[in-house]
Amino acid sequence: MDVRSRNHLTVSGRSGGPVVMLAHGFGCDQNMWRLVVPILERDFTVVLFDHVGAGRSDLSAWSKERYTTLEGYAEDVLEICRALALGPVTFVGHSVSAMMGVLAAAREPERFSGLVLLAPSPCFIDDPDAGYRGGFSAEDIDELLESLDANYLGWSGAMAPVIMGNSDRPELGEELTNSFCRTDPDIARVFARVTFLSDNRKDLAQVTVPTLVAQCSSDAIAPPEVGAFVQAEIPGSRLVTLNATGHCPQLAAPEETAAAIAAFAGGGT
């Protein structure tokens, strides 16, 4: 199957410029980057894609066997890099996509000039024995998944505004709700388990490419301790805390988000 149609690849921006690849998170598609893209296009070649099962991807390419772990998504990222043959890319992974980038860069570091991990979490579940705070207890995640299974549309309407934050801007929560509701519920149930049950803490140390960890100043999904943990575990990485609040800074604060990406990707450090 052609990777370009499978993942609905789009390439825009400055021809011959440094390449930035933007990867969306759970329940979203490449449209979530639309406010960031025009800013980046001035100086970069911008690659957008939909994860299989999301947006305008080829839904026939989705299989439970391939996409029950983040490895399947990481392999997709590598296949996209190979197909485009644009040289090393700066991979920008939002939320769960940040760990897809970690896995892909650990396997084939030559494909990447750098990683931007935007609101990342290697493990959402607290691990008190290891002194790790992910933000949720195991019971919290069980309840979240049970609620999603029972009534996906209802869960979307309740959870999306919490994930988005910025309660003073309800239109942002509404947009995320609508994005969730466009996702096939059966695919969403599988992807939710991959997102909220994965534990990639041990994979962080395998990253050898320059990495920027960009967290939000207030995020109900990925608390500040998570960003600090990721930065500490990835050798030579840098941590920046955006003024943006909520879990989706590309919508809540697109100018600040684009500036952080551009400063990192343009400098290569």
Side-chain angles (χ1 to χ4, degrees), residues 137-156:
S137 67
E139 292 75 18
D140 290 335
I141 296 298
D142 286 343
E143 290 177 7
L144 182 152
L145 294 174
E146 288 173 5
S147 175
L148 185 152
D149 287 342
N151 182 355
Y152 177 65
L153 294 181
W155 178 90
S156 298

Side-chain angles (χ1 to χ4, degrees), residues 27-29 32 152 174-183:
C28 303
D29 57 30
M32 299 297 283
Y152 177 65
E174 291 171 7
E175 176 167 348
L176 191 60
T177 299
N178 292 335
S179 178
F180 281 9
C181 292
R182 287 194 299 269
T183 305

